[in-house]
Amino acid sequence: MADQDPSAGGNGADTNDQPQVSILAQYVKDLSVENPSAPKVYSWQAQPQLDVQFNLNVEDAGDGVHEVTLKFDISARSDNGVHFVIDLTYSGLFGIRNLPQEALPPFLLIEAPRLLFPFARQVIAEAISSAGFPPLMLDPIDFGSAYMAQLEAAQQQPSGEGNGGNEQAPTDA
């Protein structure tokens, strides 16, 4: 057999110094579905107003592992009352190696939530549908803009004030 150059890449190549990112797990951490006005809500003719609140949190979960958490608080209300309330906390574990330090926050606050969002949106749609309402398909979230807004806000804060070590990007969706 001919000698193989491991730096050439491909299957079995030694990539110990190359940046590596993997999704280790993704999961529903908490889900609450409330339908407090049932059964009378199904006869209401009023179109409810939706309130969608969103928060993003990142925590170190071990050596090279980070937990990225999307938290949604969604309610539908009309003059008649509360139609439904959904609270979802959806998380993913990301294994990261050899990523330059300056690339870590953008990955964890933009790319990782972008990968998780479609699955969280599906959980929300199914939960609302299971409560007897038409499924809600949330509009995509621009995590890049949220990240840039967070950076701008951090630059405007006097030094010494921070967010306690956890990366967070709250937003109204």
Side-chain angles (χ1 to χ4, degrees), residues 43-66:
S43 65
W44 294 346
Q45 298 301 313
Q47 184 70 23
Q49 294 293 317
L50 284 175
D51 179 32
V52 179
Q53 300 295 316
F54 166 79
N55 195 24
L56 170 63
N57 189 42
V58 175
E59 293 188 15
D60 188 12
D63 187 29
V65 178
H66 301 272

Side-chain angles (χ1 to χ4, degrees), residues 74-132:
I74 302 169
S75 64
R77 301 172 193 275
S78 69
D79 290 340
N80 295 328
V82 176
H83 292 240
F84 62 80
V85 177
I86 305 284
D87 296 319
L88 171 66
T89 303
Y90 193 85
S91 298
L93 287 178
F94 291 84
I96 301 172
R97 280 196 220 152
N98 303 323
L99 197 65
Q101 191 61 35
E102 65 274 4
L104 191 58
F107 176 81
L108 292 172
L109 294 170
I110 299 171
E111 193 60 25
R114 186 187 68 80
L115 293 169
L116 294 175
F117 178 76
F119 299 97
R121 178 171 54 182
Q122 183 65 31
V123 170
I124 291 167
E126 289 175 0
I128 291 173
S129 180
S130 294

